[in-house]
Amino acid sequence: MPTKMFVGSNCLIKNSGLLRKYGKFCLIVTGAHSSKINGSLEDTITALEKEDIKYRIFDEVEENPSLETVERAFQECAGCTVDFIIAVGGGSAIDAAKALSLLFKNNISAREVLTLKNLKGIPLIAIPTTSGTGSETTPYSVLTDHLEQTKKNIGQVIFPEIAFLDARYTINSPFSITAATAVDAFTHLAEGYLNRNANILSDTLAEKGFTLFGECLKPLKDKCLTLEHREKLLLASTIAGMVISQTGTGLPHGMGYPLTYYKKLPHGTANGILYVGYLNVFRNKEKIMKMLGFIGLESIEDLGRIFKDILDCHLTLTEEEIHTYAEQIIANDQKMKNHPEKVTREDILSIYRSVNLYE
Ligand code: NAP
Ligand code: FE
């Protein structure tokens, strides 16, 4: 994981000198609202002005960003020489910025990033404002493809050059976003740990991440998180990004995409509500019990109860929907290849049926 990381309050402004080497003109990529309120955009502008770097802002990245949005950002900057990008926001802003870095470097369309191989981008700096995706330390960019009515990893390797991790930006995040993103971070740790590609390094990171996540479970249940808890969640999320950089994700990530696309569930919630079903399909539960031990829980049901409490999601899937989504997963080997045991159709159906525990 080649990203250089700076952690702690004010780490961007303290280290603004590092931005100088990336050039004279920066594109800031962000969402419509939150970065203007949580201080992250203001700090980014202050850092750039301090270093005498000109900038332009694209602030139209939506949740689950689409290829069209990436294309529009590129077209709006036609005529500018963008030397580097700073992504400020959650996984959506960072993922859109990753794809955009490829468009600027190669002068291609957004859709071409899906088919061309081994593209490189202009330098990207990531400032996460959610503690969830770990996109600042993964090579992945997940975009919505409306033509195919799904979300997909664009299949390129794009690591940010630098990540600035300042948990103050997450302090005023609404609880629903804090909870869904914390669950996303946990699912990266878990799916990396319970993964065919898991190794001693990824497991060592994941185990530290589980401990940090475990220390935040009670504050999450009580809906009362201090800056210290927020810092732990942000670190857990970044560590989880490092884990999945090595291992990839597991079944819930592939299976959650239809729940986001068709049912409009936030990404972390879509993964989290599949978890009781997912953990129960493992025939060998040894590593699951070890994972729960690091978090400080005794059973899969305990984890399910906590997710039910904090995710506040009420979804019912019909048998027809369950079969439609399951067939999409079964038809795509890529979605099942990281699972360490043989996966049957019945396993996939039972994971989707477990969502109805949340109705
Ligand atoms: P997000 O989609 O980036 O943001 C969700 C919402 O949270 C937006 O409304 C955003 O508002 C708001 N928000 C962000 N930071 C906030 C803050 N500090 N305070 C208050 N509100 C805030 O959420 P995310 O869960 O971080 O990212 C999800 C995306 O990342 C999905 O598309 C998912 O597939 C992808 N993902 C990528 C990876 C990877 O490795 N690349 C891994 C997992 C998931 P604004 O729009 O106003 O900013
Ligand atoms: Fe995720």
Side-chain angles (χ1 to χ4, degrees):
M1 196 289 295
T3 305
K4 193 181 285 200
M5 283 189 290
F6 293 85
V7 184
S9 291
N10 235 2
C11 59
L12 168 60
I13 310 245
K14 281 185 198 156
N15 295 287
S16 63
L18 292 170
L19 304 178
R20 238 174 286 147
K21 77 168 194 194
Y22 296 110
K24 285 268 150 228
F25 193 91
C26 171
L27 176 67
I28 301 173
V29 174
T30 189
H33 304 291
S34 66
S35 65
K36 296 178 184 109
I37 299 164
N38 62 35
S40 56
L41 184 59
E42 194 183 329
D43 280 0
T44 304
I45 291 171
T46 304
L48 289 168
E49 289 181 345
K50 197 168 146 207
E51 302 308 327
D52 206 15
I53 298 169
K54 304 262 174 301
Y55 60 87
R56 179 181 174 131
I57 302 175
F58 179 81
D59 63 357
E60 295 169 34
V61 179
E62 76 278 37
E63 289 182 46
N64 308 300
S66 62
L67 287 164
E68 289 79 3
T69 300
V70 171
E71 184 69 40
R72 195 169 71 251
F74 183 54
Q75 295 306 336
E76 281 185 16
C77 293
C80 308
T81 307
V82 176
D83 296 315
F84 68 106
I85 300 178
I86 302 186
V88 186
S92 294
I94 301 175
D95 284 6
K98 283 179 173 177
L100 253 177
S101 82
L102 305 178
L103 270 59
F104 281 113
K105 178 84 176 180
N106 301 286
N107 196 16
I108 51 177
S109 71
R111 195 158 282 283
E112 279 175 299
V113 301
L114 301 176
T115 49
L116 296 171
K117 298 271 179 274
N118 301 321
L119 293 171
K120 298 276 170 282
I122 60 171
L124 169 68
I125 288 154
I127 304 178
T129 66
T130 60
S131 300
T133 72
S135 182
E136 64 278 6
T137 49
T138 75
Y140 313 123
S141 162
V142 182
L143 297 181
T144 299
D145 182 348
H146 287 299
L147 278 185
E148 292 197 17
Q149 300 200 335
T150 188
K151 293 174 59 177
K152 47 173 84 146
N153 173 23
I154 63 173
Q156 307 285 349
V157 175
I158 321 148
F159 280 106
E161 296 267 329
I162 308 181
F164 290 104
L165 307 179
D166 188 335
R168 291 175 312 152
Y169 304 143
T170 69
I171 286 177
N172 293 321
S173 173
F175 182 74
S176 59
I177 292 176
T178 301
T181 51
V183 168
D184 187 28
F186 163 76
T187 64
H188 298 157
L189 294 167
E191 286 165 52
Y193 197 60
L194 307 170
N195 193 299
R196 187 178 287 286
N197 307 315
N199 57 64
I200 184 164
L201 294 177
S202 62
D203 280 359
T204 304
L205 287 166
E207 287 169 3
K208 180 65 189 172
F210 291 137
T211 304
L212 288 167
F213 179 72
E215 288 168 3
C216 298
L217 263 193
K218 183 160 184 328
L220 277 169
K221 265 175 36 184
D222 296 345
K223 299 193 170 72
C224 182
L225 293 104
T226 62
L227 178 61
E228 199 188 332
H229 298 127
R230 301 260 176 201
E231 285 176 335
K232 285 183 179 177
L233 281 179
L234 186 54
L235 264 188
S237 162
T238 296
I239 289 173
M242 294 185 217
V243 172
I244 56 168
S245 293
Q246 296 183 48
T247 60
T249 49
L251 290 175
H253 265 72
M255 296 179 66
Y257 288 156
L259 303 182
T260 294
Y261 194 87
Y262 297 110
K263 300 291 179 184
K264 308 291 173 224
L265 294 190
H267 171 69
T269 306
N271 297 332
I273 62 169
L274 296 165
Y275 252 67
V276 169
Y278 165 61
L279 296 177
N280 276 323
V281 303
F282 279 82
R283 289 141 191 80
N284 181 349
K285 302 238 178 347
E286 211 178 303
K287 218 168 165 189
I288 295 177
M289 295 317 293
K290 201 169 160 194
M291 168 183 92
L292 293 171
F294 280 109
I295 304 172
L297 295 175
E298 284 179 1
S299 67
I300 295 174
E301 290 65 38
D302 284 348
L303 184 76
R305 267 190 291 278
I306 291 174
F307 281 7
K308 193 167 181 167
D309 262 11
I310 67 174
L311 289 174
D312 192 26
C313 165
H314 306 276
L315 178 73
T316 313
L317 294 178
T318 64
E319 269 302 300
E320 193 186 343
E321 286 168 331
I322 288 170
H323 277 269
T324 307
Y325 302 161
E327 289 315 319
Q328 283 176 16
I329 302 299
I330 292 159
N332 185 346
D333 291 349
Q334 292 300 312
K335 307 250 185 213
M336 299 193 282
K337 71 175 193 325
N338 293 341
H339 195 73
E341 298 179 347
K342 186 176 177 336
V343 187
T344 65
R345 170 175 269 100
E346 204 39 56
D347 289 337
I348 300 291
L349 290 170
S350 76
I351 297 174
Y352 273 127
R353 285 192 186 112
S354 74
V355 162
N356 289 341
L357 295 170
Y358 286 81
E359 67 193 339

